[in-house]
Amino acid sequence: MSEIKVRPLGYAAGAAVSGLDLRDGLQPGQLEALRAAWREHLVLVLPGQELNAQQLIAFTRNFGEVERNDSVPYYRDPDYPEVLLVTNKPRDGKPSQTRNTGRNWHSDLSYTSRPAMGSVLMCKEKPPVGGDTMFANMYMAYDSLSATFKRFLDDLHAVHDITLIKGFERRDPAQIAELKKRNPPIAHPVVRTHPETGRKLLFISDRVRSFVGMTEDESRPILDFLNRHATSPEFVYRHRWDVNDIVMWDNRCTLHIALPDFDQSKPRHMMRCSLLGEPSGYVIQDDGPMDEQAARSAIAAVS
């Protein structure tokens, strides 16, 4: 069995893993070493992995149940529903609707009742320059807050909304209506505890509309501060892609953003698998903010 080597890439997150050919599968010792590195570094880069869709699914399955992307059915690989195609290459003779995916800070599928546990993204084609992805460490974001502010956040739940995906309104109108129906606004705790490490972290993003029991105007200054704070440079790792890179990240304790820093006429084609997360949150009716009593009842129901 080849020895896995882990080389840190950034202070906040990120490590390169060598010594693996994922086409051969993983031995138990290799899998445990990979899991340990993932817990420590949050974002792992596995370069030079020439996998097809089936092999990518098989690799992802080592870490849990693979999401079938039912919440975003239009963007799946037609032959493999577990694979989401993040691409600016035309599909069915039309511009791809995932060509601008990920343009604001987010955690994958946070607008669902089972936010992704983790994601595995493989680069198949890339522009000559740019097309980078940045990742932010939500442990650090939480740990660096004052004790007083932490106590304030402990009781808050945030409303995650699919319509806040950047560029969402430019997608096909029929698909927009269906996606909104499939994914109503949902509230999750602002402060979560990672089930494996036991560490507290922030669970917010640019796709949060407000806090439960508060108006959008009341919520906005707090959200603006938290999103700005959580993505401070000292908490961020920036990945510059190479073809056949696989990058896997823990969605439970990171945010990420896909940068539009490249010539959009050049192909950028990725395949993504997501790991199904634990059930979380509760649906918010889109009829204005909850009053305090209703908010407390909703929180109590899932506590």
Side-chain angles (χ1 to χ4, degrees), residues 69-76 84-85 91-92 94-99 101 111 162-163 165 167-184:
N69 298 304
D70 290 333
S71 64
V72 284
Y74 308 107
Y75 315 132
R76 297 184 286 198
L84 189 77
L85 298 177
R91 295 190 65 189
D92 300 322
K94 299 178 181 179
S96 168
Q97 296 200 57
T98 60
R99 63 189 182 279
T101 288
Y111 49 80
I162 192 174
T163 67
I165 292 176
F168 184 82
E169 71 285 351
R170 296 196 296 271
R171 303 187 184 198
D172 178 87
Q175 292 185 10
I176 288 175
E178 178 64 20
L179 289 171
K180 289 173 67 175
K181 183 179 178 180
R182 286 175 178 265
N183 303 281

Side-chain angles (χ1 to χ4, degrees), residues 42-61:
L42 285 58
V43 179
L44 296 183
V45 179
L46 295 90
Q49 303 291 338
E50 297 186 47
L51 303 188
N52 58 32
Q54 287 177 297
Q55 292 167 326
L56 184 66
I57 295 167
F59 169 68
T60 306
R61 196 168 283 132

Side-chain angles (χ1 to χ4, degrees), residues 136-194:
N137 183 326
M138 294 297 100
Y139 292 135
M140 287 183 170
Y142 176 79
D143 290 343
S144 57
L145 294 171
S146 68
T148 300
F149 200 50
K150 287 177 183 176
R151 287 193 295 271
F152 169 70
L153 295 177
D154 275 341
D155 293 329
L156 288 184
H157 286 57
V159 181
H160 296 247
D161 190 335
I162 192 174
T163 67
L164 295 181
I165 292 176
K166 193 169 185 179
F168 184 82
E169 71 285 351
R170 296 196 296 271
R171 303 187 184 198
D172 178 87
Q175 292 185 10
I176 288 175
E178 178 64 20
L179 289 171
K180 289 173 67 175
K181 183 179 178 180
R182 286 175 178 265
N183 303 281
I186 189 163
H188 298 289
V190 171
V191 179
R192 304 174 91 191
T193 300
H194 195 287

Side-chain angles (χ1 to χ4, degrees), residues 278-291:
E278 294 295 321
S280 173
Y282 49 94
V283 171
I284 299 296
Q285 301 301 321
D286 194 15
D287 55 2
M290 288 185 174
D291 61 30

Side-chain angles (χ1 to χ4, degrees), residues 103-120:
R103 294 290 193 259
N104 53 4
W105 284 102
H106 66 286
S107 177
D108 288 333
L109 303 177
S110 72
Y111 49 80
T112 74
S113 61
R114 300 192 69 173
M117 183 187 88
S119 295
V120 180

Side-chain angles (χ1 to χ4, degrees), residues 39-274:
R39 287 191 295 270
E40 180 179 357
H41 297 285
L42 285 58
V43 179
L44 296 183
V45 179
L46 295 90
Q49 303 291 338
E50 297 186 47
L51 303 188
N52 58 32
Q54 287 177 297
Q55 292 167 326
L56 184 66
I57 295 167
F59 169 68
T60 306
R61 196 168 283 132
N62 285 292
F63 303 92
E65 185 178 352
V66 182
E67 164 77 44
R68 288 179 58 85
N69 298 304
D70 290 333
S71 64
V72 284
Y74 308 107
Y75 315 132
R76 297 184 286 198
D77 185 302
D79 298 316
Y80 302 99
E82 298 92 343
V83 174
L84 189 77
L85 298 177
V86 182
T87 183
N88 65 356
K89 299 176 72 173
R91 295 190 65 189
D92 300 322
K94 299 178 181 179
S96 168
Q97 296 200 57
T98 60
R99 63 189 182 279
N100 295 314
T101 288
R103 294 290 193 259
N104 53 4
W105 284 102
H106 66 286
S107 177
D108 288 333
L109 303 177
S110 72
Y111 49 80
T112 74
S113 61
R114 300 192 69 173
M117 183 187 88
S119 295
V120 180
L121 187 63
M122 181 170 189
C123 177
K124 302 302 289 184
E125 296 181 67
K126 66 176 288 292
V129 177
D132 299 351
T133 303
M134 297 200 300
F135 301 87
N137 183 326
M138 294 297 100
Y139 292 135
M140 287 183 170
Y142 176 79
D143 290 343
S144 57
L145 294 171
S146 68
T148 300
F149 200 50
K150 287 177 183 176
R151 287 193 295 271
F152 169 70
L153 295 177
D154 275 341
D155 293 329
L156 288 184
H157 286 57
V159 181
H160 296 247
D161 190 335
I162 192 174
T163 67
L164 295 181
I165 292 176
K166 193 169 185 179
F168 184 82
E169 71 285 351
R170 296 196 296 271
R171 303 187 184 198
D172 178 87
Q175 292 185 10
I176 288 175
E178 178 64 20
L179 289 171
K180 289 173 67 175
K181 183 179 178 180
R182 286 175 178 265
N183 303 281
I186 189 163
H188 298 289
V190 171
V191 179
R192 304 174 91 191
T193 300
H194 195 287
E196 295 178 36
T197 66
R199 296 179 62 184
K200 286 189 172 183
L201 57 104
L202 282 180
F203 192 62
I204 48 86
S205 75
D206 288 334
R207 296 176 183 178
V208 169
R209 183 168 296 283
S210 63
F211 299 112
V212 174
M214 297 171 61
T215 66
E216 290 187 33
D217 285 344
E218 291 168 336
S219 303
R220 181 47 48 196
I222 305 169
L223 286 171
D224 286 346
F225 166 76
L226 287 174
N227 285 319
R228 186 173 62 250
H229 167 77
T231 57
S232 298
E234 61 268 32
F235 305 149
V236 170
Y237 163 68
R238 179 168 179 156
H239 183 67
R240 291 179 169 85
W241 291 93
D242 285 319
V243 172
N244 292 328
D245 274 357
I246 288 179
V247 176
M248 53 188 293
W249 61 91
D250 190 332
N251 272 293
R252 298 167 294 186
C253 54
T254 62
L255 295 179
H256 61 282
I257 185 171
L259 301 177
D261 60 337
F262 65 98
D263 181 346
Q264 303 291 322
S265 69
K266 306 298 183 182
R268 184 181 187 271
H269 184 73
M270 310 279 197
M271 300 192 303
R272 190 191 82 189
C273 289
S274 296

